[in-house]
Amino acid sequence: MNFYIIPNMTRKNAFSVTCKLLENIRELDCKAFFDVAFEDIFGNNEYVEYVFEEAAMDLCDAVIAVGGDGTFINAAKKANDKNKPLICVNAGNLAYLACMEGDETHMLASVIKGDYVTEDRMLLDVSIVDKNGKAIYDSCCVNDAVVSRSGNIRIMNLSVFCNGAPLIDYLGDGAIVATPTGSTAYSLSAGGPVVEPCVESILITPVCPHSIFSRSIVLSGDSQLELVHDNSGEAILSCDGQSAVVIPENARVTVKRSDKSVSFIKIKSDTFIDVLNKKISG
């Protein structure tokens, strides 16, 4: 079996965890691919090959991401483009998406044996549509899309429409539109609810709302949303924490469920509630 390994070397444990993975891959008589940028870090072995990412994605049977949830989200986008399942190995802190911890890399043997399940997570298609109805920006989100104020700190008025009808106006710093996967990310920090991944839904959570009555809303996964800001200042859109894009005047942000999904490999038998209790309670 061939694996494409994507380690986040900014994590202090990433090197040691990846080295353990390589030992397991050698013992299992498998092959590991890395991007060429990692050759000086992990050295040459007969079971390791360094190629450009496009080739690695084509040659692998599964992708292994080593890091935290941010690493997993970025790797998920790449794996999704090539229809490859993703194995998440924790070398960070919380890592809700990890299927194994850094000291559990021996569990890779279960993948070779086929003793695992894949868990498909819904994605969001996000666009900026200009005043003429033309899409000028598109992204596919695993976690969330955030509309917020840029530049000077001041309150923005954000109107949210659901399936063409007015839903709610948020007065504050902006709003987060999240998948169930993203419910444990920025949305949670902003006071949003935790949603089990099997409950396919779309969450809207206000950021620092200027009202004690502004709360998160959980909608059907098939809802189609539009977010329109009041043009009183520059607004920006950030998808999955990537670089923000300016929303032009009189443009709107549209969000809907994607036709695509991303497959995470799950090895252990613990439930989402088990993981939640462990990660939150420590």
Side-chain angles (χ1 to χ4, degrees):
M1 196 168 184
N2 296 332
F3 299 100
Y4 173 38
I5 304 178
I6 305 177
N8 180 356
M9 300 308 294
T10 65
R11 297 286 186 171
K12 66 177 183 179
N13 297 324
F15 179 77
S16 60
V17 171
T18 304
C19 287
K20 290 178 185 177
L21 265 174
L22 290 175
E23 290 177 13
N24 298 129
I25 287 172
R26 177 182 57 80
E27 292 167 357
L28 294 167
D29 197 26
C30 295
K31 189 166 188 176
F33 291 96
F34 284 94
D35 186 272
V36 291
F38 292 99
E39 186 167 5
D40 290 340
I41 299 175
F42 295 104
N44 293 312
N45 294 287
E46 67 276 7
Y47 56 93
V48 178
E49 188 172 340
Y50 298 92
V51 296
F52 290 107
E53 183 168 87
E54 184 73 17
M57 293 298 300
D58 288 334
L59 292 167
C60 74
D61 298 298
V63 177
I64 302 178
V66 181
D69 280 337
T71 308
F72 305 154
I73 294 301
N74 290 330
K77 292 175 180 288
K78 299 173 182 179
N80 178 64
D81 288 341
K82 292 292 186 177
N83 228 10
K84 306 285 185 175
L86 177 64
I87 300 168
C88 301
V89 183
N90 186 16
N93 295 316
L94 289 175
Y96 289 98
L97 294 173
C99 77
M100 65 178 86
E101 299 300 315
D103 58 355
E104 297 175 331
T105 59
H106 60 277
M107 298 181 75
L108 192 64
S110 296
V111 178
I112 308 302
K113 297 173 185 176
D115 187 15
Y116 67 91
V117 296
T118 55
E119 190 175 77
D120 291 338
R121 301 286 185 97
M122 66 175 284
L123 307 174
L124 296 176
D125 285 336
V126 181
S127 300
I128 297 176
V129 180
D130 68 14
K131 61 183 179 181
N132 299 315
K134 179 183 177 182
I136 56 175
Y137 173 82
D138 295 291
S139 183
C140 190
C141 296
V142 181
N143 259 0
D144 51 38
V146 180
V147 176
S148 59
R149 174 71 71 217
S150 175
N152 294 331
I153 298 176
R154 57 181 298 178
I155 291 174
M156 72 184 300
N157 193 347
L158 191 63
S159 298
V160 183
F161 299 81
C162 180
N163 300 327
L167 177 63
I168 193 170
D169 286 349
Y170 285 128
L171 194 63
D173 287 353
I176 305 159
V177 183
T179 63
T181 300
S183 72
T184 54
Y186 187 18
S187 177
L188 178 63
S189 298
V194 173
V195 178
E196 194 169 5
C198 63
V199 182
E200 296 190 339
S201 54
I202 298 176
L203 295 74
I204 309 173
T205 300
V207 180
C208 299
H210 195 63
S211 169
I212 62 174
F213 301 109
S214 292
R215 295 289 183 266
S216 297
I217 300 175
V218 181
L219 300 168
S220 162
D222 294 324
S223 300
Q224 297 192 30
L225 304 179
E226 289 187 2
L227 291 84
V228 182
H229 71 98
D230 58 4
N231 294 311
S232 63
E234 187 176 82
I236 55 175
L237 169 69
S238 178
C239 294
D240 283 338
Q242 296 178 338
S243 298
V245 178
V246 174
I247 303 170
E249 189 173 340
N250 296 319
R252 65 189 187 276
V253 175
T254 65
V255 184
K256 65 179 181 179
R257 178 178 181 165
S258 177
D259 292 333
K260 301 175 182 177
S261 62
V262 62
S263 294
F264 290 92
I265 284 180
K266 180 176 170 60
I267 298 173
K268 296 185 283 188
S269 60
D270 50 355
T271 67
F272 175 74
I273 301 301
D274 293 332
V275 173
L276 193 65
N277 285 333
K278 181 180 178 182
K279 299 292 183 180
I280 290 181
S281 65

